[in-house]
Amino acid sequence: MELLRSNLSRVQIPEPTHRIYKHECCLSFDTPRSEGGLFVDMNSFLAFGKDYVSWNHEKTGNPVYLHIKETPKSVPEDRPLKKPTLLAIGVDGGFDNNETEYEESYSIVILPDFVSLPFPSVELPEKVRIAVDTVLSAVGAEKREQVAAWTAEEKKASEHALTLQQIKSGIVIPPSGWKCTKCDKKENLWLNLTDGMILCGRKNWDGTGGNNHAVEHYKETGYPLAVKLGTITADLEAADVYSYPEDDSVLDPLLSQHLAHFGIDFSSMQKTEMTTAERELDQNTNFDWNRIQESGKELVPVFGPGHTGLVNLGNSCYLAATMQILFSTHSFISRYYSHQSLKLAFETAPADPTLDLNMQLTKLGHGLLSGKYSIPVTEKDAATGDARQEGIPPRMFKSVVAAGHAEFSSMRQQDALDFFLHLLDKVERGNNVRADLDPSRSFKFGVEEKILCSSGKVSYNKREDCILSLNIPLQEATNKDELEAFNNQKAGEGLEENNMSTDEIVRPRVPLEACLATFASPEQIHDYYSTALKGKTTAIKTTGLTSFPDYLVLHMRKFVMEAGWVPKKLDVYIDVPDVIDISHMRSKGLQPGEELLPDGVPEEVMETAQPVANEEIVAQLVSMGFNQLHCQKAAINTSNAGVEEATNWLFSHMDDPDIDAPISHQASDVDQSSVDTLISFGFAEEVARKALKASGGDIEKATDWIFNNPNASVSDMDVSSSNSAQTPAQSGLLPDGGGRYKLFGIVSHMGTSTHCGHYVAHILKEGRWVIFNDSKVGISTDPPKDMGYLYFFQRLLDN
């Protein structure tokens, strides 16, 4: 006790502003349930596992720790599983994880000799008792930003229900055999409670669902409430009632009266349709979706180094799939595992290692690759009877990598591609002092665009990228005859794909080679200002690569616009070979006999190059229901690249605080530091100033503006021996090599949008494919090579 009293000055009573860690080690994935328990530093309130607490004592000198140990309680073996009735975790009616219950024990431990004192104890100094009680009663920092239960909001009574006026039309609704009044749809039908019209529901992103007739009827009439036929039973509260003005599922306290108006006897009706909430619940309880997750196949679980699962923190599968593949690359393994120990990362980390990206990437790398946490748990999986692993929760990593990002710091589903790009940017910034250690560099390559003016002269523009985003040319499908026969059969028999099994549906098969060819094929540029002709003309642009990266990432652009500007996910297979050769895609630069376009663009042309939204893109987005101003911003901020890019931007920036602020084209002096930043990128000062002026001072938009206005930077970006600076590839900053690559990773997506659904990774390890489905890791028997969203290739060394 005297030893403790002599160290009281190193004990701190937590304030409300303190971040208290007590559930997980800051340097590893040890928890109070680990063999050595968890040690909470009573000065900094950081937590450490048994193997790491001495490092903290050496670094800080803090000697007093609260030791927390959890041991399992005995549970009856015949405890039954409960089927969930609520979309929630850890609440009554929610998902029953059948988790073991634990007992907690505490003690005060003094380092370096691990002297242990019991807690609670009246003999302990009052300061220690107060400090420990405060720590134990506080909400842990690990869980502060995480939603512990996904409880769907309870439905509220509609404000329109009590005042609903029903038209005396004499309509009597039969108990079955319904059909949409305006089309042939017989499912997803809604009864308008004002006039008794039966109409189909909304069209989904993937083209399924209805034809929007119910919502269009509301827009025409203003009749507010509709009930989904097939959900009406004696339990009226379970019926799916929707309020169009409130844009939400609601309760109708007078539903029995409103149904009786149309002769409906709800007491005898049977349930034949899922409600909206039930459909969502069904998706969340059935994670083994179709072939991507290899449903129906017996997956053999696999354990050991490199086979550690990641716990889903709530819509975090995009992160899990991406990180599993990144930590299967030599560059990430070397940087954050084999050549960096946990101790070294901790010694070089700031006072709070939970806020250091390098520390948390090293922690994640060691957690995934060491095999320490990839061991079977005692109990087998209740659903499959197989051995399973708990996986590791990437909470601290997600917190630090998502810091300051409105979307990634939320609990919403995100686009795995967006996260991949965001992470590489963070990693690059974190390694700016030692660029040779930067693992993101292994994904980078140079892109060269050649523009051939109608004058016969050319310009060359260069940029860096780390993905190849590929359009899918459906016209290049290799099974056109089968497709035609299938479509004729559907039309002749009146079949709908919704009512067909997956095996019966014929989907287009497009070779990956066709997608790559589309990327490199010539493209017309209209209204191109030619400095040779001193006017606008039509030019031809071709694209090639100036370098080949160590790891090539291909992004398949599966979201397109249908007639009526309806976004649709292409239901298509991509035939991806195990080995590809992109040697033919290497650009050749300025060729003998080619003449460069003259430098310089007239000032009046530059001044009129303010960022202006493409009217066609804006019109398409507005027709989808988006706000006009938001659509204009989306088009401008994606450089008018297309509807898909603008749609993705809208989803990512809906909650921006300035989303409703007017678009400013005010000419103003640009910030010199921004000019200096662009100059450091290799652009001329004059071009940098004009780009910033045209882009409202935003560096990223200014960079896009320069690339989209190639004549503005001819002198700096054209390839010539006299006036062009060395490109990154030429100066050795980018990796390069042969063009043959082997497929080693696939991120697949299930769902109607990249911002919903589920992501799964398949990775080639030790000659066999392994599926990583959050915390589930198993040997893959049928990897979905033709259904990927992102494909990862490694350059072959035999080039």
Side-chain angles (χ1 to χ4, degrees):
M1 197 64 69
E2 286 304 316
L3 181 60
L4 176 59
R5 293 184 189 280
S6 66
N7 286 292
L8 277 182
S9 62
R10 306 304 295 269
V11 175
Q12 188 176 186
I13 297 175
E15 299 290 340
T17 55
H18 279 125
R19 292 158 53 92
I20 299 173
Y21 292 88
K22 59 179 181 178
H23 300 292
E24 180 180 301
C25 174
C26 297
L27 313 185
S28 72
F29 292 92
D30 289 356
T31 70
R33 300 176 187 177
S34 300
E35 184 177 353
L38 206 60
F39 295 78
V40 180
D41 184 334
M42 293 306 294
N43 184 274
S44 67
F45 308 113
L46 297 172
F48 301 89
K50 178 69 180 294
D51 295 335
Y52 314 101
V53 64
S54 295
W55 299 352
N56 183 64
H57 177 251
E58 293 171 6
K59 181 177 180 178
T60 66
N62 295 337
V64 183
Y65 296 82
L66 167 64
H67 182 235
I68 305 175
K69 184 72 177 78
E70 295 183 2
T71 53
K73 295 180 181 179
S74 58
V75 180
E77 294 183 1
D78 57 350
R79 183 173 73 173
L81 284 174
K82 296 182 297 181
K83 183 176 180 179
T85 59
L86 180 66
L87 187 57
I89 289 179
V91 298
D92 289 339
F95 290 95
D96 181 5
N97 292 332
N98 202 29
E99 290 186 350
T100 305
E101 296 181 356
Y102 288 82
E103 290 181 327
E104 287 191 343
S105 60
Y106 313 103
S107 61
I108 305 299
V109 175
I110 305 170
L111 267 64
D113 297 325
F114 288 87
V115 176
S116 180
L117 301 173
F119 180 89
S121 171
V122 293
E123 296 182 6
L124 292 171
E126 182 180 18
K127 182 180 182 181
V128 174
R129 297 201 305 270
I130 294 173
V132 172
D133 285 339
T134 306
V135 167
L136 295 178
S137 62
V139 176
E142 304 96 327
K143 296 186 178 180
R144 211 177 252 183
E145 298 177 359
Q146 183 183 4
V147 179
W150 301 339
T151 308
E153 292 184 6
E154 292 185 4
K155 290 193 292 185
K156 299 178 181 178
S158 171
E159 61 186 46
H160 302 280
L162 299 180
T163 59
L164 186 71
Q165 299 293 317
Q166 293 187 283
I167 297 173
K168 296 181 179 179
S169 58
I171 294 177
V172 176
I173 304 298
S176 61
W178 311 296
K179 186 174 78 72
C180 177
T181 305
K182 296 187 177 181
C183 69
D184 295 328
K185 291 285 185 182
K186 296 180 180 180
E187 295 181 344
N188 190 22
L189 299 177
W190 295 78
L191 170 69
N192 190 287
L193 292 174
T194 297
D195 61 3
M197 290 283 282
I198 297 176
L199 299 161
C200 60
R202 302 176 196 250
K203 178 173 285 190
N204 297 327
W205 278 70
D206 58 356
T208 62
N211 290 317
N212 297 323
H213 288 142
V215 67
E216 289 172 0
H217 184 64
Y218 158 70
K219 292 177 181 178
E220 295 169 1
T221 63
Y223 299 156
L225 299 181
V227 61
K228 188 174 185 179
L229 294 173
T231 68
I232 303 169
T233 65
D235 181 10
L236 282 183
E237 285 194 3
D240 202 356
V241 180
Y242 194 84
S243 170
Y244 293 105
E246 296 164 281
D247 195 22
D248 205 353
S249 295
V250 296
L251 290 175
D252 179 1
L254 302 180
L255 183 58
S256 61
Q257 175 183 318
H258 294 152
L259 293 175
H261 179 83
F262 300 110
I264 296 177
D265 179 9
F266 60 86
S267 63
S268 60
M269 298 189 73
Q270 300 294 316
K271 183 176 173 64
T272 59
E273 288 262 4
M274 283 188 179
T275 65
T276 305
E278 286 169 342
R279 190 171 297 278
E280 186 178 0
L281 177 63
D282 182 65
Q283 288 182 334
N284 280 274
T285 54
N286 182 22
F287 274 105
D288 292 328
W289 297 336
N290 60 53
R291 199 183 121 218
I292 287 179
Q293 294 194 128
E294 305 188 48
S295 302
K297 295 180 171 57
E298 293 185 8
L299 291 181
V300 178
V302 60
F303 306 94
H307 296 94
T308 306
L310 286 170
V311 174
N312 194 316
L313 305 176
N315 291 322
S316 64
C317 52
Y318 68 91
L319 179 150
T322 303
M323 297 314 299
Q324 291 286 9
I325 288 188
L326 286 179
F327 274 109
S328 297
T329 64
H330 295 306
S331 52
F332 270 77
I333 292 173
S334 174
R335 176 67 180 88
Y336 298 111
Y337 180 64
S338 59
H339 288 93
Q340 177 158 266
S341 67
L342 287 169
K343 188 171 186 180
L344 176 61
F346 177 56
E347 289 173 345
T348 57
D352 188 345
T354 67
L355 303 179
D356 183 52
L357 179 62
N358 178 64
M359 178 70 251
Q360 293 308 314
L361 274 167
T362 305
K363 169 182 170 176
L364 183 62
H366 281 255
L368 290 174
L369 301 172
S370 67
K372 178 180 179 179
Y373 305 100
S374 182
I375 55 176
V377 296
T378 305
E379 304 86 0
K380 291 190 175 183
D381 187 284
T384 65
D386 293 331
R388 62 181 179 88
Q389 58 172 286
E390 289 184 351
I392 54 177
R395 293 191 191 94
M396 293 185 190
F397 167 72
K398 182 177 186 289
S399 179
V400 69
V401 78
H405 194 287
E407 286 302 312
F408 295 133
S409 59
S410 74
M411 298 296 287
R412 293 184 289 272
Q413 182 66 280
Q414 303 298 327
D415 186 344
L417 172 65
D418 290 346
F419 178 73
F420 171 73
L421 296 175
H422 171 76
L423 176 69
L424 290 194
D425 181 63
K426 284 267 193 178
V427 168
E428 182 180 22
R429 294 177 187 220
N431 290 276
N432 58 356
V433 177
R434 290 285 307 275
D436 56 312
L437 298 178
D438 179 12
S440 71
R441 177 176 169 270
S442 63
F443 293 91
K444 287 196 171 183
F445 53 89
V447 179
E448 181 177 75
E449 294 175 345
K450 173 184 174 180
I451 298 176
L452 174 63
C453 169
S454 58
S455 67
K457 299 181 180 180
V458 298
S459 70
Y460 284 87
N461 306 315
K462 292 185 175 64
R463 59 183 171 85
E464 291 182 8
D465 215 328
C466 51
I467 60 154
L468 274 186
S469 188
L470 303 178
N471 289 318
I472 302 173
L474 293 178
Q475 68 275 13
E476 300 297 329
T478 57
N479 59 339
K480 293 178 182 177
D481 292 341
E482 295 175 53
L483 281 170
E484 183 178 1
F486 173 68
N487 290 328
N488 290 338
Q489 179 189 1
K490 279 201 308 179
E493 300 179 14
L495 299 175
E496 292 189 19
E497 291 189 12
N498 294 347
N499 300 322
M500 303 175 69
S501 68
T502 302
D503 294 336
E504 293 177 302
I505 299 173
V506 178
R507 297 174 174 85
R509 282 197 168 274
V510 178
L512 178 63
E513 291 86 347
C515 303
L516 291 168
T518 300
F519 175 85
S521 62
E523 174 188 353
Q524 283 193 340
I525 304 176
H526 299 286
D527 296 326
Y528 175 82
Y529 184 85
S530 168
T531 53
L533 302 176
K534 300 189 183 305
K536 293 184 177 180
T537 184
T538 298
I540 303 296
K541 181 179 78 173
T542 53
T543 304
L545 307 186
T546 62
S547 63
F548 294 153
D550 294 335
Y551 296 98
L552 178 67
V553 183
L554 303 183
H555 163 232
M556 310 311 300
R557 303 178 66 170
K558 290 191 172 184
F559 291 89
V560 297
M561 290 293 162
E562 278 193 315
W565 311 122
V566 177
K568 178 183 179 180
K569 181 179 179 181
L570 292 178
D571 192 9
V572 59
Y573 292 134
I574 308 296
D575 285 330
V576 179
D578 291 332
V579 176
I580 63 173
D581 192 339
I582 62 169
S583 301
H584 63 283
M585 296 179 66
R586 188 180 288 275
S587 60
K588 298 175 179 155
L590 186 65
Q591 297 296 295
E594 290 183 338
E595 183 179 353
L596 293 172
L597 283 163
D599 295 349
V601 178
E603 187 69 25
E604 60 271 18
V605 175
M606 300 289 288
E607 293 297 332
T608 57
Q610 296 278 6
V612 176
N614 180 289
E615 294 182 3
E616 183 178 351
I617 293 175
V618 173
Q620 295 177 31
L621 294 173
V622 169
S623 70
M624 292 158 55
F626 293 112
N627 175 282
Q628 174 91 13
L629 174 63
H630 299 177
C631 297
Q632 292 173 338
K633 287 190 172 185
I636 291 172
N637 282 284
T638 55
S639 304
N640 293 314
V643 175
E644 180 183 353
E645 291 81 356
T647 305
N648 289 335
W649 186 94
L650 280 169
F651 281 123
S652 299
H653 294 81
M654 282 180 175
D655 298 325
D656 286 3
D658 61 345
I659 189 67
D660 293 311
I663 299 172
S664 173
H665 292 303
Q666 181 179 358
S668 58
D669 292 335
V670 295
D671 182 68
Q672 183 59 41
S673 63
S674 298
V675 176
D676 293 340
T677 299
L678 287 178
I679 292 175
S680 72
F681 292 165
F683 302 123
E685 180 173 356
E686 179 184 3
V687 173
R689 289 188 178 278
K690 289 178 179 178
L692 288 165
K693 186 177 180 181
S695 307
D698 187 290
I699 292 177
E700 185 175 349
K701 295 177 189 175
T703 306
D704 289 338
W705 183 90
I706 292 172
F707 288 129
N708 288 318
N709 293 272
N711 284 316
S713 54
V714 166
S715 62
D716 295 284
M717 303 195 65
D718 283 347
V719 177
S720 71
S721 59
S722 59
N723 63 0
S724 66
Q726 265 196 323
T727 67
Q730 291 170 330
S731 60
L733 294 180
L734 292 180
D736 200 3
R740 295 184 70 245
Y741 287 85
K742 182 176 182 178
L743 179 68
F744 79 93
I746 308 167
V747 171
S748 305
H749 171 260
M750 295 153 284
T752 55
S753 162
T754 53
H755 292 83
C756 69
H758 190 55
Y759 289 95
V760 170
H762 286 76
I763 306 173
L764 185 64
K765 286 180 175 278
E766 301 171 354
R768 64 185 182 186
W769 284 93
V770 178
I771 180 173
F772 291 82
N773 184 4
D774 290 332
S775 60
K776 297 179 181 178
V777 182
I779 298 173
S780 171
T781 58
D782 186 20
K785 296 180 183 179
D786 51 7
M787 300 178 70
Y789 174 58
L790 300 175
Y791 291 96
F792 291 76
F793 289 83
Q794 180 178 4
R795 186 170 57 230
L796 290 172
L797 298 179
D798 61 351
N799 282 296

Short mmCIF file of all heavy atoms in Angstrom, two decimals, residues 567-587:
data_model
loop_
_atom_site.label_atom_id
_atom_site.label_comp_id
_atom_site.label_asym_id
_atom_site.label_seq_id
_atom_site.Cartn_x
_atom_site.Cartn_y
_atom_site.Cartn_z
N PRO A 567 -31.32 5.20 -62.69
CA PRO A 567 -30.04 4.53 -62.44
C PRO A 567 -30.24 3.02 -62.34
O PRO A 567 -31.18 2.55 -61.72
CB PRO A 567 -29.58 5.11 -61.09
CG PRO A 567 -30.46 6.30 -60.85
CD PRO A 567 -31.73 6.05 -61.58
N LYS A 568 -29.35 2.29 -62.95
CA LYS A 568 -29.47 0.83 -62.93
C LYS A 568 -28.09 0.20 -62.77
O LYS A 568 -27.12 0.65 -63.35
CB LYS A 568 -30.10 0.32 -64.23
CG LYS A 568 -30.22 -1.20 -64.29
CD LYS A 568 -30.78 -1.67 -65.62
CE LYS A 568 -30.87 -3.19 -65.66
NZ LYS A 568 -31.41 -3.68 -66.93
N LYS A 569 -28.05 -0.85 -61.96
CA LYS A 569 -26.82 -1.63 -61.83
C LYS A 569 -26.84 -2.71 -62.91
O LYS A 569 -27.78 -3.48 -63.01
CB LYS A 569 -26.73 -2.27 -60.44
CG LYS A 569 -25.46 -3.08 -60.24
CD LYS A 569 -25.40 -3.67 -58.84
CE LYS A 569 -24.14 -4.49 -58.66
NZ LYS A 569 -24.06 -5.10 -57.31
N LEU A 570 -25.80 -2.72 -63.73
CA LEU A 570 -25.73 -3.70 -64.80
C LEU A 570 -25.64 -5.11 -64.23
O LEU A 570 -24.77 -5.41 -63.42
CB LEU A 570 -24.50 -3.44 -65.67
CG LEU A 570 -24.51 -2.15 -66.51
CD1 LEU A 570 -23.20 -2.02 -67.27
CD2 LEU A 570 -25.68 -2.15 -67.48
N ASP A 571 -26.57 -5.95 -64.65
CA ASP A 571 -26.55 -7.36 -64.26
C ASP A 571 -25.75 -8.09 -65.32
O ASP A 571 -26.29 -8.62 -66.30
CB ASP A 571 -27.98 -7.88 -64.17
CG ASP A 571 -28.06 -9.23 -63.48
OD1 ASP A 571 -27.03 -9.66 -62.94
OD2 ASP A 571 -29.14 -9.84 -63.50
N VAL A 572 -24.44 -8.10 -65.15
CA VAL A 572 -23.56 -8.55 -66.21
C VAL A 572 -22.40 -9.34 -65.61
O VAL A 572 -21.98 -9.10 -64.47
CB VAL A 572 -23.02 -7.33 -67.01
CG1 VAL A 572 -22.26 -6.37 -66.10
CG2 VAL A 572 -22.15 -7.76 -68.17
N TYR A 573 -21.92 -10.31 -66.36
CA TYR A 573 -20.72 -11.05 -65.98
C TYR A 573 -19.53 -10.50 -66.76
O TYR A 573 -19.64 -10.20 -67.95
CB TYR A 573 -20.88 -12.54 -66.30
CG TYR A 573 -21.89 -13.27 -65.46
CD1 TYR A 573 -22.82 -14.13 -66.05
CD2 TYR A 573 -21.92 -13.13 -64.08
CE1 TYR A 573 -23.75 -14.82 -65.28
CE2 TYR A 573 -22.84 -13.81 -63.30
CZ TYR A 573 -23.76 -14.65 -63.91
OH TYR A 573 -24.66 -15.32 -63.14
N ILE A 574 -18.40 -10.38 -66.08
CA ILE A 574 -17.16 -9.98 -66.74
C ILE A 574 -16.23 -11.19 -66.74
O ILE A 574 -15.87 -11.70 -65.68
CB ILE A 574 -16.48 -8.80 -66.00
CG1 ILE A 574 -17.47 -7.65 -65.78
CG2 ILE A 574 -15.25 -8.33 -66.78
CD1 ILE A 574 -17.97 -7.02 -67.05
N ASP A 575 -15.87 -11.64 -67.91
CA ASP A 575 -14.95 -12.78 -68.02
C ASP A 575 -13.53 -12.29 -67.79
O ASP A 575 -12.92 -11.64 -68.66
CB ASP A 575 -15.09 -13.46 -69.38
CG ASP A 575 -16.37 -14.28 -69.49
OD1 ASP A 575 -16.82 -14.79 -68.44
OD2 ASP A 575 -16.93 -14.39 -70.60
N VAL A 576 -13.01 -12.58 -66.61
CA VAL A 576 -11.69 -12.09 -66.20
C VAL A 576 -10.71 -13.25 -66.17
O VAL A 576 -10.88 -14.19 -65.38
CB VAL A 576 -11.76 -11.42 -64.81
CG1 VAL A 576 -10.38 -10.93 -64.37
CG2 VAL A 576 -12.76 -10.28 -64.82
N PRO A 577 -9.68 -13.22 -67.00
CA PRO A 577 -8.69 -14.31 -66.97
C PRO A 577 -7.77 -14.17 -65.75
O PRO A 577 -7.68 -13.11 -65.13
CB PRO A 577 -7.92 -14.09 -68.27
CG PRO A 577 -8.06 -12.63 -68.57
CD PRO A 577 -9.42 -12.23 -68.05
N ASP A 578 -7.09 -15.25 -65.42
CA ASP A 578 -6.17 -15.22 -64.29
C ASP A 578 -4.95 -14.35 -64.58
O ASP A 578 -4.38 -13.74 -63.67
CB ASP A 578 -5.70 -16.64 -63.94
CG ASP A 578 -6.83 -17.48 -63.36
OD1 ASP A 578 -7.75 -16.89 -62.74
OD2 ASP A 578 -6.81 -18.71 -63.54
N VAL A 579 -4.55 -14.27 -65.84
CA VAL A 579 -3.40 -13.46 -66.23
C VAL A 579 -3.81 -12.54 -67.38
O VAL A 579 -4.48 -12.98 -68.32
CB VAL A 579 -2.21 -14.36 -66.67
CG1 VAL A 579 -1.05 -13.51 -67.17
CG2 VAL A 579 -1.75 -15.25 -65.52
N ILE A 580 -3.43 -11.27 -67.27
CA ILE A 580 -3.70 -10.32 -68.34
C ILE A 580 -2.39 -9.67 -68.76
O ILE A 580 -1.42 -9.64 -68.01
CB ILE A 580 -4.71 -9.22 -67.91
CG1 ILE A 580 -4.14 -8.39 -66.75
CG2 ILE A 580 -6.05 -9.83 -67.54
CD1 ILE A 580 -5.01 -7.18 -66.40
N ASP A 581 -2.39 -9.14 -69.97
CA ASP A 581 -1.22 -8.44 -70.50
C ASP A 581 -1.68 -7.10 -71.04
O ASP A 581 -2.47 -7.04 -71.98
CB ASP A 581 -0.56 -9.26 -71.61
CG ASP A 581 0.82 -8.72 -71.99
OD1 ASP A 581 1.08 -7.52 -71.72
OD2 ASP A 581 1.62 -9.48 -72.56
N ILE A 582 -1.20 -6.02 -70.43
CA ILE A 582 -1.60 -4.67 -70.86
C ILE A 582 -0.43 -3.94 -71.52
O ILE A 582 -0.44 -2.71 -71.61
CB ILE A 582 -2.14 -3.84 -69.68
CG1 ILE A 582 -1.05 -3.65 -68.60
CG2 ILE A 582 -3.38 -4.48 -69.08
CD1 ILE A 582 -1.42 -2.62 -67.54
N SER A 583 0.53 -4.71 -71.99
CA SER A 583 1.72 -4.08 -72.60
C SER A 583 1.33 -3.15 -73.74
O SER A 583 1.98 -2.11 -73.95
CB SER A 583 2.67 -5.16 -73.12
OG SER A 583 3.09 -6.02 -72.07
N HIS A 584 0.28 -3.49 -74.47
CA HIS A 584 -0.13 -2.67 -75.61
C HIS A 584 -0.71 -1.32 -75.18
O HIS A 584 -0.91 -0.44 -76.03
CB HIS A 584 -1.19 -3.43 -76.42
CG HIS A 584 -2.45 -3.71 -75.65
ND1 HIS A 584 -2.53 -4.71 -74.70
CD2 HIS A 584 -3.67 -3.10 -75.66
CE1 HIS A 584 -3.75 -4.72 -74.17
NE2 HIS A 584 -4.45 -3.75 -74.73
N MET A 585 -0.98 -1.16 -73.90
CA MET A 585 -1.57 0.09 -73.42
C MET A 585 -0.51 1.13 -73.03
O MET A 585 -0.86 2.23 -72.62
CB MET A 585 -2.49 -0.18 -72.22
CG MET A 585 -3.68 -1.05 -72.55
SD MET A 585 -4.75 -1.39 -71.11
CE MET A 585 -5.38 0.25 -70.75
N ARG A 586 0.77 0.78 -73.17
CA ARG A 586 1.81 1.75 -72.83
C ARG A 586 1.85 2.86 -73.88
O ARG A 586 1.90 2.60 -75.08
CB ARG A 586 3.17 1.08 -72.74
CG ARG A 586 4.26 2.01 -72.20
CD ARG A 586 5.60 1.33 -72.12
NE ARG A 586 5.70 0.35 -71.06
CZ ARG A 586 6.01 0.65 -69.80
NH1 ARG A 586 6.21 1.91 -69.44
NH2 ARG A 586 6.09 -0.32 -68.89
N SER A 587 1.82 4.09 -73.40
CA SER A 587 1.87 5.25 -74.31
C SER A 587 3.29 5.44 -74.82
O SER A 587 4.26 5.06 -74.15
CB SER A 587 1.38 6.50 -73.59
OG SER A 587 2.20 6.77 -72.46
#
